[in-house]
Amino acid sequence: MLTKLEAAIQAAGKAGDLLRDRFKTDLVVREKSPANLVTDLDTQSEEIILSALRASFPDISALTEESEKTIGNYNGERWIIDPLDGTTNYIHGYPFFSVSIALESNGKIVLGVVHDPIAGKFYSAEVGQGAYLNGEKIHVSNTTEMKQALVGSGFPYYAWESEDNNSQQWAKMIRKVVSLRCDGSAALDLCMVAAGVLDGFWELDLEAWDLAAGSLIVQEAGGKVTLADGNPFTPYQRSVLASNRKLHDSLLHEIINS
Ligand code: IPD
Ligand code: CA
Ligand code: CA
């Protein structure tokens, strides 16, 4: 009998194997909305994850990106799943994408796994137990100066249509930190903060399946996670600011004063 953490890691690994094997092969690509693409691999990955999780835990429901609803009988526990976070990267052959699986229990995220199949990395956390990369404990960075900070961000799919598309925040932040990165997988970006590679990460329009696992991993690695306006974090209010804690207020200041 697998634990829930083992089941999530195993499911993410199976989906990751498929994504890695099919990377840079022919894909069926469809537009969900302008600039928001989905492939046959997103769907196949989701099927693999659901069947792997159900083999061990048939009674836990799931909120998944590709079905966009809770599947199964919801009794306080559900998996929150992004079967391929970084679809645009995947389509372009940019090797930065992930599988994200979280477990929510009575409204709280209690477990998170983010798998980077190209790098062979499994980031994981359970509430109160610390954060791990391939079984080794990880911590956020010790950077205290904005001038030394490497910070990640991303742009919403509606960036073509709205002025409120993070470009003002981006333009302000680049004058304060050593550099910015836009790597295209929010779940994995959050793990970069947890592992101390990025000192912070913010984004303004994300879904619960982008945020649930990675936000717990950052917190368990000693980092701080709020909404991008500084309010208490929930994966259901679309935005995030994650940091090594020490830089949180300075990063927030730049974001909210843009
Ligand atoms: C996207 C990625 C990207 C972020 C987008 C997300 P998807 O998820 O996390 O980094 O900028 O807003 O929707 O669509 O590739 O699963
Ligand atoms: Ca996503
Ligand atoms: Ca996705």
Side-chain angles (χ1 to χ4, degrees):
M1 171 79 180
L2 297 178
T3 65
K4 288 168 182 164
L5 179 63
E6 287 166 346
I9 290 174
Q10 191 186 79
K14 285 184 176 172
D17 289 348
L18 171 78
L19 294 173
R20 195 184 50 246
D21 292 349
R22 290 288 313 275
F23 189 47
K24 296 188 181 179
T25 64
D26 283 347
L27 303 171
V28 180
V29 181
R30 181 171 63 77
E31 224 181 42
K32 280 185 183 170
S33 58
N36 185 357
L37 305 172
V38 64
T39 74
D40 51 334
L41 269 293
D42 295 68
T43 324
Q44 287 177 36
S45 173
E46 184 164 306
E47 284 163 7
I48 287 175
I49 294 165
L50 285 174
S51 91
L53 292 174
R54 286 210 180 111
S56 300
F57 296 99
D59 298 330
I60 301 183
S61 60
L63 169 66
T64 71
E65 178 173 12
E66 297 319 324
S67 42
E68 292 187 357
K69 60 178 194 288
T70 299
I71 318 165
N73 285 334
Y74 182 61
N75 58 4
E77 256 191 331
R78 65 178 173 183
W79 303 105
I80 301 179
I81 299 166
D82 191 335
L84 169 50
D85 186 51
T87 298
T88 305
N89 285 348
Y90 196 78
I91 292 167
H92 284 261
Y94 188 102
F96 194 88
F97 56 87
S98 60
V99 175
S100 176
I101 303 175
L103 181 68
E104 183 190 68
S105 178
N106 297 317
K108 272 196 69 174
I109 306 301
V110 295
L111 176 164
V113 171
V114 175
H115 174 41
D116 172 349
I118 295 294
K121 291 180 174 174
F122 290 84
Y123 298 88
S124 65
E126 284 180 287
V127 72
Q129 306 293 313
Y132 294 84
L133 166 53
N134 292 351
E136 301 281 322
K137 212 158 190 173
I138 52 172
H139 296 280
V140 293
S141 73
N142 285 317
T143 308
T144 53
E145 299 296 323
M146 285 286 271
K147 286 195 296 283
Q148 292 167 357
L150 184 64
V151 177
S153 190
F155 295 99
Y157 284 127
Y158 59 71
W160 290 343
E161 287 131 35
S162 169
E163 297 268 297
D164 186 19
N165 60 8
N166 203 22
S167 53
Q168 286 173 13
Q169 288 84 349
W170 180 273
K172 188 136 191 268
M173 195 70 85
I174 192 55
R175 300 171 71 89
K176 301 287 173 180
V177 297
V178 70
S179 198
L180 294 175
R181 295 289 179 269
C182 178
D183 266 330
S185 168
L188 204 46
D189 287 320
L190 288 165
C191 294
M192 294 288 120
V193 177
V197 177
L198 291 175
D199 301 297
F201 170 74
W202 89 94
E203 202 164 333
L204 303 182
D205 187 60
L206 292 169
E207 303 277 358
W209 42 78
D210 302 313
L211 292 166
S215 58
L216 179 67
I217 294 169
V218 172
Q219 285 163 333
E220 288 297 322
K224 182 166 177 176
V225 183
T226 62
L227 299 179
D229 63 5
N231 274 309
F233 181 73
T234 141
Y236 298 106
Q237 288 192 28
R238 307 200 70 90
S239 78
V240 70
L241 169 60
S243 76
N244 69 351
R245 191 170 288 276
K246 300 180 170 79
L247 290 172
H248 207 86
D249 291 348
S250 305
L251 291 166
L252 181 61
H253 179 80
E254 298 309 321
I255 294 165
I256 60 181
N257 291 305
S258 296

Short mmCIF file of all heavy atoms in Angstrom, two decimals, residues 35 82 97 140 172 180 208-209 235 242 245:
data_model
loop_
_atom_site.label_atom_id
_atom_site.label_comp_id
_atom_site.label_asym_id
_atom_site.label_seq_id
_atom_site.Cartn_x
_atom_site.Cartn_y
_atom_site.Cartn_z
N ALA A 35 -3.74 32.28 -27.69
CA ALA A 35 -2.45 32.08 -27.01
C ALA A 35 -2.48 31.01 -25.93
O ALA A 35 -1.47 30.73 -25.31
CB ALA A 35 -1.89 33.39 -26.45
N ASP A 82 -2.22 19.59 -12.44
CA ASP A 82 -1.88 20.15 -13.75
C ASP A 82 -1.02 19.10 -14.45
O ASP A 82 0.13 18.86 -14.08
CB ASP A 82 -1.10 21.47 -13.60
CG ASP A 82 -0.99 22.18 -14.95
OD1 ASP A 82 -1.06 21.48 -15.98
OD2 ASP A 82 -0.83 23.40 -14.97
N PHE A 97 9.19 22.35 -18.31
CA PHE A 97 7.76 22.08 -18.09
C PHE A 97 7.67 21.07 -16.95
O PHE A 97 8.69 20.51 -16.53
CB PHE A 97 7.10 21.55 -19.38
CG PHE A 97 7.76 20.33 -19.95
CD1 PHE A 97 7.41 19.06 -19.55
CD2 PHE A 97 8.76 20.46 -20.92
CE1 PHE A 97 8.04 17.94 -20.08
CE2 PHE A 97 9.39 19.33 -21.44
CZ PHE A 97 9.03 18.07 -21.03
N VAL A 140 14.98 27.76 0.78
CA VAL A 140 15.03 28.99 -0.01
C VAL A 140 16.39 29.66 0.16
O VAL A 140 17.17 29.30 1.05
CB VAL A 140 13.89 29.96 0.40
CG1 VAL A 140 12.53 29.39 0.04
CG2 VAL A 140 13.96 30.31 1.88
N LYS A 172 9.14 47.76 -13.89
CA LYS A 172 9.59 48.37 -12.63
C LYS A 172 10.62 47.46 -11.95
O LYS A 172 11.65 47.92 -11.46
CB LYS A 172 8.36 48.61 -11.73
CG LYS A 172 8.66 49.39 -10.50
CD LYS A 172 7.60 50.46 -10.24
CE LYS A 172 8.07 51.41 -9.14
NZ LYS A 172 7.62 50.99 -7.81
N LEU A 180 15.67 39.28 -14.34
CA LEU A 180 14.37 38.62 -14.31
C LEU A 180 14.37 37.42 -15.25
O LEU A 180 15.08 37.41 -16.25
CB LEU A 180 13.27 39.59 -14.77
CG LEU A 180 12.99 40.79 -13.87
CD1 LEU A 180 11.97 41.72 -14.53
CD2 LEU A 180 12.47 40.32 -12.52
N ALA A 208 -5.65 27.32 -9.76
CA ALA A 208 -5.31 26.50 -8.58
C ALA A 208 -4.33 25.38 -8.95
O ALA A 208 -3.42 25.07 -8.18
CB ALA A 208 -6.58 25.92 -7.97
N TRP A 209 -4.50 24.79 -10.15
CA TRP A 209 -3.62 23.67 -10.51
C TRP A 209 -2.19 24.14 -10.83
O TRP A 209 -1.26 23.35 -10.79
CB TRP A 209 -4.19 22.86 -11.68
CG TRP A 209 -4.77 23.70 -12.78
CD1 TRP A 209 -4.09 24.37 -13.74
CD2 TRP A 209 -6.18 23.96 -13.00
NE1 TRP A 209 -4.98 25.04 -14.55
CE2 TRP A 209 -6.25 24.79 -14.13
CE3 TRP A 209 -7.35 23.55 -12.36
CZ2 TRP A 209 -7.47 25.24 -14.64
CZ3 TRP A 209 -8.56 24.00 -12.87
CH2 TRP A 209 -8.62 24.84 -13.99
N PRO A 235 -4.83 29.28 -3.25
CA PRO A 235 -4.59 28.99 -4.68
C PRO A 235 -5.77 29.37 -5.56
O PRO A 235 -5.68 29.24 -6.78
CB PRO A 235 -4.34 27.47 -4.70
CG PRO A 235 -4.91 26.94 -3.44
CD PRO A 235 -4.89 28.06 -2.43
N ALA A 242 5.83 34.65 -4.28
CA ALA A 242 6.57 33.69 -3.46
C ALA A 242 8.00 34.20 -3.35
O ALA A 242 8.56 34.70 -4.32
CB ALA A 242 6.56 32.32 -4.13
N ARG A 245 11.36 34.90 1.74
CA ARG A 245 10.87 35.54 2.97
C ARG A 245 11.57 36.87 3.21
O ARG A 245 10.92 37.90 3.39
CB ARG A 245 11.05 34.60 4.19
CG ARG A 245 10.35 35.02 5.44
CD ARG A 245 10.39 33.90 6.48
NE ARG A 245 9.51 32.80 6.10
CZ ARG A 245 8.21 32.77 6.37
NH1 ARG A 245 7.68 33.76 7.07
NH2 ARG A 245 7.47 31.78 5.97
#
